Amino acid sequence: MIGVLTIEAIIYDAQSLKEKRGVLKSVITRLRDRLNISVSETGHQNVWQRTEITIASVSSDRTRVEQELNRALHFIDSVPEIETASVQWEWF
């Protein structure tokens, strides 16, 4: 089972692409280090206050994939610099 989570988010405090990328790099690195997932910025790469992050997890059990993706979503929601605007789940 493959689960994909696409998150559109806003980084209100970013005043430049450099600041945005600093916040994103920190979030993406912590996600990769703590969870068994793949994560990348996939959209709005040249806009300094918006981002789209895609997270993928693979397992033979859908419940396990859903748990990992929920942990990633809760982690992103706990980061004060980022506000989640929308979330899209996909299953393959």
Side-chain angles (χ1 to χ4, degrees):
M1 177 64 56
I2 301 170
V4 177
L5 186 62
T6 303
I7 301 168
E8 287 206 31
I10 301 168
I11 305 172
Y12 288 112
D13 294 336
Q15 299 301 313
S16 67
L17 285 174
K18 186 176 183 178
E19 289 179 14
K20 172 192 168 183
R21 290 190 177 120
V23 170
L24 280 178
K25 182 174 181 165
S26 171
V27 169
I28 289 172
T29 300
R30 288 187 284 169
L31 281 169
R32 285 182 182 153
D33 290 347
R34 295 179 184 182
L35 302 171
N36 187 22
I37 58 171
S38 295
V39 58
S40 180
E41 181 184 18
T42 56
H44 308 296
Q45 293 171 335
N46 291 320
V47 180
W48 48 273
Q49 284 191 322
R50 280 186 77 191
T51 189
E52 180 182 271
I53 301 170
T54 301
I55 302 168
S57 182
V58 179
S59 178
S60 60
D61 182 21
R62 180 180 171 136
T63 304
R64 179 73 176 137
V65 172
E66 195 168 352
Q67 288 173 346
E68 286 294 308
L69 293 177
N70 272 320
R71 281 190 211 135
L73 184 58
H74 289 302
F75 174 77
I76 290 171
D77 286 341
S78 74
V79 176
E81 295 89 2
I82 296 178
E83 181 180 326
T84 302
S86 71
V87 177
Q88 179 182 356
W89 293 79
E90 294 181 73
W91 300 98
F92 302 97

